Amino acid sequence: MNNSTISDQRPDNFTSSWRTGTASAAISEIVRSSVVAIVVMLCLSLLRQCQAQEIETPPKGPAHLNAVLDDWSRREAAIPSLRIRWTREERLLAAPMEPDDAVEGGGAIPQVVELTTACELVVDGDRFRYFRNGDRWIGKAHRLGVAEEARAWDGEIYYSYYRDPTEKYPRGIIEAGPPVFDIFMHDVHSLAPKLAFRPLNSVFRTMLDPERLRLAERDEFVDDCQCAVLELIQPAHGRGKPPRIRYELWIDRARASLPLRLVAYRSEVPMSDLTISYRHDDKVGWVPTGWSFRRFGHIPRRPPWTTLAVVKEFEANPSIAEEPFHFDYPPGTMVGDKRAGTSPAFHVIRLDGTRRDVARDESSADYDRLIQPGS
């Protein structure tokens, strides 16, 4: 009986195991089917997104470039005047005064020099005034000095002023006609706000000539933002050689073609890299919050000079007085007036603020006498 009982129980156990196995297989099949369904749905969703992006992304070509230029023109029209103030911190690798014998090979350890500068740019249509005041590294003297620079354009006259701590006196220039200063090569300190608000304005000399711009085939990414790449090329001196200077401007088409990055190459070797960050303002749209600028040395990817700028104040469409665009040179300035002809006529601002013309037979050696009141 015991055997019978045992024998009678085997089929039940087998049946139970078979049923359990069948149920497990069924569940596994259901799970696999569900996974397959989910994967298919995800693939279809990604395909739809890619198709939507392909539809929404403007085609690469003249129409795409024209859309970028239209975005820039609308932005300039929406913000005809502005005032922006920022500070910038620079880290400069400067040669030390004495070699360090402890360095392998008898080399010298460069010292890191910290520089701080305050800047302001005021714009009203095509008129502008730019001012900066701060530290400058004097390489030969191995010390810091205070430099000051100002530029202004009132629609008819262009003024420039520079006080160099290594020079005996500050200098000023007065010129007729629009400014001819290339900020891509020289005026990097105010390049970011000019690109953000006036990339096509010829008065600011950003050199973004629409006739010379071309759209690259590739896209790039800055902080997860997909960017189109605009190129501006200065031709090489010889046939078959790489472009002498090439600029890449990365723009965010999703945010009204905002310029996010500018990379400069000389003979395809990186020279500098500018990256701009923005915040959104409910009234005027995207406003710069700061930027970083790196100028490379002879060794690529090893920046001997870096700048970090932080926007301290921004005002869109303020009430602009006439005064900011009429430049008054400070006492002690030697001014060259180029409006009369190719040879500038010089005058000096005396210490009491009055003007004294400098005769042809007088030279800078007479400066200390010329600036005295009543001279």
Side-chain angles (χ1 to χ4, degrees):
M1 182 175 180
N2 291 334
N3 292 334
S4 176
T5 303
I6 295 174
S7 176
D8 291 340
Q9 290 175 351
R10 285 177 180 174
D12 292 338
N13 292 335
F14 179 79
T15 302
S16 176
S17 300
W18 179 83
R19 288 175 179 172
T20 303
T22 302
S24 300
I27 293 174
S28 300
E29 185 65 26
I30 292 173
V31 170
R32 282 195 295 269
S33 301
S34 300
V35 171
V36 171
I38 292 172
V39 171
V40 171
M41 292 175 64
L42 288 175
C43 291
L44 290 176
S45 177
L46 291 174
L47 180 60
R48 293 191 192 98
Q49 291 180 7
C50 293
Q51 291 175 345
Q53 290 179 356
E54 291 177 357
I55 295 174
E56 294 174 1
T57 302
K60 297 294 183 65
H64 191 165
L65 180 57
N66 290 336
V68 172
L69 301 181
D70 289 342
D71 284 340
W72 288 347
S73 298
R74 284 192 294 269
R75 181 169 173 81
E76 180 170 348
I79 310 177
S81 62
L82 62 98
R83 178 183 287 106
I84 180 171
R85 295 188 179 95
W86 68 94
T87 58
R88 56 186 180 90
E89 304 289 336
E90 298 178 58
R91 292 175 57 85
L92 180 69
L93 289 181
M97 296 181 65
E98 300 293 339
D100 190 344
D101 296 333
V103 179
E104 183 179 355
I109 299 178
Q111 58 179 319
V112 178
V113 181
E114 303 284 350
L115 309 176
T116 303
T117 307
C119 305
E120 180 186 56
L121 176 65
V122 180
V123 179
D124 183 25
D126 289 338
R127 302 182 303 168
F128 72 88
R129 179 177 176 128
Y130 168 65
F131 175 79
R132 69 181 180 95
N133 184 13
D135 298 329
R136 180 192 162 186
W137 175 248
I138 305 173
K140 293 182 179 179
H142 291 86
R143 66 177 178 86
L144 289 176
V146 178
E148 188 174 350
E149 180 184 7
R151 302 181 182 276
W153 164 248
D154 66 0
E156 296 180 359
I157 302 174
Y158 178 55
Y159 305 87
S160 61
Y161 168 81
Y162 189 66
R163 181 166 61 87
D164 189 327
T166 64
E167 298 290 340
K168 184 176 182 180
Y169 51 82
R171 303 174 184 269
I173 295 292
I174 300 176
E175 301 177 79
V180 292
F181 200 68
D182 181 358
I183 67 171
F184 267 1
M185 294 301 297
H186 301 93
D187 194 11
V188 298
H189 307 295
S190 62
L191 177 56
K194 290 179 180 180
L195 284 175
F197 296 107
R198 296 292 190 274
L200 293 178
N201 195 308
S202 60
V203 171
F204 287 87
R205 302 296 297 176
T206 54
M207 304 300 291
L208 290 182
D209 183 356
E211 300 297 328
R212 296 174 57 197
L213 287 175
R214 74 178 188 184
L215 191 64
E217 292 296 330
R218 76 183 197 281
D219 288 342
E220 297 287 354
F221 288 86
V222 177
D223 296 331
D224 297 328
C225 297
Q226 186 172 2
C227 299
V229 178
L230 297 178
E231 290 185 322
L232 188 148
I233 297 177
Q234 292 185 5
H237 291 298
R239 180 178 297 180
K241 295 183 178 180
R244 185 164 58 93
I245 297 179
R246 181 172 64 88
Y247 300 103
E248 288 186 359
L249 182 62
W250 300 9
I251 59 171
D252 186 356
R253 289 288 287 117
R255 292 188 289 175
S257 301
L258 286 179
L260 297 187
R261 189 180 183 191
L262 176 68
V263 186
Y265 299 86
R266 184 187 297 275
S267 300
E268 296 307 309
V269 176
M271 291 193 306
S272 62
D273 187 341
L274 171 70
T275 303
I276 310 173
S277 59
Y278 296 85
R279 66 173 175 84
H280 188 266
D281 183 90
D282 294 336
K283 295 182 179 179
V284 296
W286 296 100
V287 176
T289 59
W291 51 89
S292 63
F293 180 83
R294 295 185 296 168
R295 174 163 288 173
F296 298 97
H298 299 291
I299 303 176
R301 299 187 182 89
R302 186 177 179 182
W305 177 29
T306 61
T307 301
L308 295 177
V310 177
V311 175
K312 297 297 185 180
E313 182 180 347
F314 174 79
E315 188 177 3
N317 303 322
S319 177
I320 302 293
E322 292 295 324
E323 182 180 357
F325 307 104
H326 294 280
F327 204 92
D328 294 325
Y329 289 101
T333 306
M334 182 72 73
V335 183
D337 192 339
K338 294 184 177 181
R339 292 175 294 176
T342 55
S343 180
F346 287 94
H347 66 269
V348 67
I349 307 300
R350 297 188 183 99
L351 295 180
D352 60 359
T354 59
R355 167 177 168 163
R356 185 197 190 280
D357 292 333
V358 178
R360 295 290 180 181
D361 58 346
E362 294 177 312
S363 66
S364 59
D366 303 318
Y367 173 77
D368 291 332
R369 175 180 60 84
L370 296 176
I371 62 175
Q372 298 302 320
S375 62

